[in-house]
Amino acid sequence: MPWDEKFECMPVEELRKFQLEKLKETVAWAYEKVPFYRKKLDEKGIQAGDIQKLEDVSKLPVTVKNDLRDNYPFKLCAVPMKDVVRVHASSGTTGKPITGPYTAEDLDQWTECMARNFHAAGVRSDDVIQNAYGYGLFTGGLGFHQGAGRIGATVVPTSSGMTERQISLMQDFGATVLCCTPSYALTIAERAEEMGVDMHKLPVRVGIFGAEPWTVQMRQEIEDRLGIKAMEAFGLTELGGPGVSYDCKEQNGLHINEDHYLAEVVDPDTFEPVPEGEKGELIFTSLQRRAMPMIRYRTKDITRLHREACPCGRTFVRMEKLSGRTDDMLIISGVNIFPSQIESLLLDIPEVEPQYVLVVRKKGYLDHLTVRVEARREVYDAGPEKEAEVERKIADHLKGHIGINIRVRLVEPKLIARSEGKAKRILDERPKE
Ligand code: DLL
């Protein structure tokens, strides 16, 4: 039985009616409260009253990440700050983050969505959940924390990092559930092997992983190495964080919380809906969020939707595991990184030229990033010691702003191929699947 049978198993016709009503409310709310949306809706000559059926959502204007950047920090906020009880954030395409404000009601709904995620993964009130998603501005830590609290389980809020301590705490506190990014799950597995800890002997039996791409093969590897069932969570800051969709015991696609999010899959060039079941870009409209309603948000994530009934009984549509993105966003150690963001940080460093490439490689199942940047002539000529010093300086600067360790390699001036059109900033050396 799901956590919230009424919604999770609602007959499809009833669900569509509910969505239509909420869609109209959201559009009216956004129009009334957010000048950005009012302008866009007026430009398209459409208002809430023009929405007669769910498919009319395609008449609404789309919203993109840059709209959030241009309205930084709170110009898309539909409520006065006194009604905002929390703000989360994630990396944007430049130095400024994307903000996600919540009212108390938004937080409560988010918590419910996360409770559904936990429950679908088979987690119950007698579980001990080690939450190794980063706590802080990132939505992973507190999102999972709240959901775990709602189902009444014991939460161990370790946050990410300090891997050896994670493993000792799992042993000491007897965690039965592990929540973190899939890449971190593998780091834990690797470290445990080095420490001589047999994870198969610990009580941990299920993990809920997400926030970055991972393949079915990687899921299998995590399951084998940690001796657990690896379940999934999906979401994004712009829509309130994780809790947008989650998989059930069938592990055959992620159920979208359709009472909260209206999903479309479109052709990324034309924005026309793709035929049922075909791949395209995922677009979401929030249906109940108050602080930051989102109309047709382009996620840039690529997937397809399955509407056939799921044996688990949930009627919510399923999205297939993501198969890529339509933009150049990289996700390294669970952190979203845009080449433009690295570029603006490199430009702060006087010892290098603004000529760089981001080399992405795969080590095992993990993506690793190396920034190759050209040294200025006098730095290069000063020799290896100077080079190492500048590399450290850049790595510290990147860490200070992005939060993760990124390898930096200075190269000789003029070594990086000059662009003859669109600069190719990413050298993707990951094997193609
Ligand atoms: O990653 C929210 C989250 C936290 C999801 C914890 C799941 C677990 P952002 O940092 O805004 O939010 O990044 C959102 O991450 O557009 C996808 O490209 C990617 N992503 C999130 N979940 C998955 C997943 C959080 N399960 C961006 N599989 C999204 C693949 C994912 N990619």
Side-chain angles (χ1 to χ4, degrees), residues 133 138-139 211-213 232-237 301 322 325 331 336:
Y133 281 110
F138 177 51
T139 51
E212 65 186 0
E232 183 155 0
F234 167 82
L236 45 156
T237 313
D301 290 318
L322 296 187
R325 290 185 54 89
I331 307 185
N336 304 349

Side-chain angles (χ1 to χ4, degrees), residues 3 6 76 114 127 233 243 246 277 287 297 346 361 398 424:
W3 173 258
K6 173 172 175 225
L76 291 187
M114 288 311 301
D127 272 305
Y246 50 93
L287 295 176
Y297 186 69
L346 289 176
R361 290 208 182 98
L398 295 178
K424 195 169 168 357

Side-chain angles (χ1 to χ4, degrees), residues 334-354:
V335 176
N336 304 349
I337 299 178
F338 291 91
S340 52
Q341 202 185 350
I342 299 221
E343 178 174 302
S344 64
L345 291 169
L346 289 176
L347 288 170
D348 295 337
I349 310 284
E351 291 92 340
V352 296
E353 301 286 344

Side-chain angles (χ1 to χ4, degrees), residues 28 67 155 182 206 254 263 273 336 359 411 422:
D67 293 328
V155 194
V206 55
L254 282 72
N336 304 349
V359 187
V411 299
K422 276 182 191 291

